[in-house]
Amino acid sequence: MNRWLWRMRRPLALVFGGLLCAAIALAPTPVGLTAAGQAALAVLALCVVWWLFTPVELPVTALVGLALLPTLGALAIPDTMALFGNQAVFFVIGVFLIASVMAQTGLSTRLALVVLRRFSSSEDALCLVVLLLSWALCAVVVSHAVAALMLPIVLGVIRALDLAPRSRTARRLLLSMAWGTVCGSNLGLLSSARASLALTFYDNFREKSEMSHAVISFTDYSLAAAPVSLCAVVFVAIALRLLFPPEGIALAPAIARLDAQVQEMGALSRREALTSIVVAAMVGTMIAAGAENLS
């Protein structure tokens, strides 16, 4: 029995911490204690249990406690985030976490390989899909992570085609990857930390200047930025086509390499499927809630 309890200490602590938090939060508020104080006590109880028995990693407990403070009413969201400097910092952290998980699970690599394989019918098509894929991935992954993801894939294609360093096609492929991420770096709030920080600074300036309330939501920003980003990527596509015209290279080796990489990845894994659901839910929530100035 003791050995069983020792093995199950972490799952039991995970459940007990949640139940203790709920019990304190739902109990009648004691005399002399405010509702906000009771909510803060409930969060503290959960964190203490989880920190002692570590059913999850310590940073996870810290983030859960941070999220529960405004959720249970202990603090307002701006006040909670203000304890750590700038509330946009947490949005940026979330964006990089999503990018990291997509990379570690292989989901982003799978998407890139499948799209590249499907549209690799000619040099122009291959270079264009590298450009557009690098640009489009920035809609859900921060642009720096997209560049880190696409570079080894593009280099693999270049090696498979046995292209010389000064080859027009090699240079066009690399520049397509680079400029795709540049053009997509402001495609949405998920693609750039600069945008979220800029919106936060704008919100602070508006409040100090006593300007009228004008919230810029996730959707508002995307609708305003997407046309500019799209025009930029179209211009880059035309410029690269004119500067680096096709060389008449046979694409069979590159297609074979892409086929092999796709087959090596196998069927969609459970982790990739769960990551897809989380990313879709996150983007959908941000659009529905408006992500009002990240506040």
Side-chain angles (χ1 to χ4, degrees), residues 48-130:
V48 168
V49 172
W50 284 10
W51 276 329
L52 286 174
F53 296 96
T54 60
V56 294
E57 297 295 331
L58 296 180
V60 175
T61 302
L63 290 175
V64 170
L66 178 67
L68 285 177
L69 286 174
T71 301
L72 297 181
L75 286 173
I77 294 178
D79 295 335
T80 303
M81 301 305 177
L83 297 174
F84 295 84
N86 194 309
Q87 56 186 322
V89 170
F90 291 93
F91 181 83
V92 174
I93 291 173
V95 169
F96 277 100
L97 284 174
I98 290 297
S100 176
V101 171
M102 289 185 69
Q104 290 184 21
T105 59
L107 177 62
S108 51
T109 303
R110 181 185 296 275
L111 290 173
L113 289 173
V114 170
V115 173
L116 277 175
R117 172 61 185 91
R118 185 175 181 82
F119 296 99
S120 300
S121 57
S122 66
E123 287 178 67
D124 281 335
L126 179 60
C127 293
L128 183 61
V129 76
V130 168

Side-chain angles (χ1 to χ4, degrees), residues 11-47:
L12 290 174
L14 184 69
V15 175
F16 177 71
L19 292 176
L20 181 61
C21 176
I24 295 175
L26 297 175
T29 305
V31 177
L33 184 66
T34 64
Q38 182 177 0
L41 182 62
V43 175
L44 176 63
L46 179 140
C47 291

Side-chain angles (χ1 to χ4, degrees), residues 51 106 127 132 144 148 183 230:
W51 276 329
C127 293
L132 294 179
H144 299 82
C183 295
L230 179 60

Side-chain angles (χ1 to χ4, degrees), residues 221-247:
Y221 179 86
S222 298
L223 291 176
V228 178
S229 181
L230 179 60
C231 290
V233 80
V234 169
F235 174 81
V236 169
I238 296 172
L240 291 179
R241 175 61 176 79
L242 294 175
L243 292 172
F244 306 101
E247 299 177 278

Side-chain angles (χ1 to χ4, degrees), residues 268-281:
L268 189 72
S269 67
R270 179 174 176 272
R271 295 177 65 196
E272 290 175 283
L274 290 175
T275 302
S276 302
I277 294 172
V278 170
V279 172

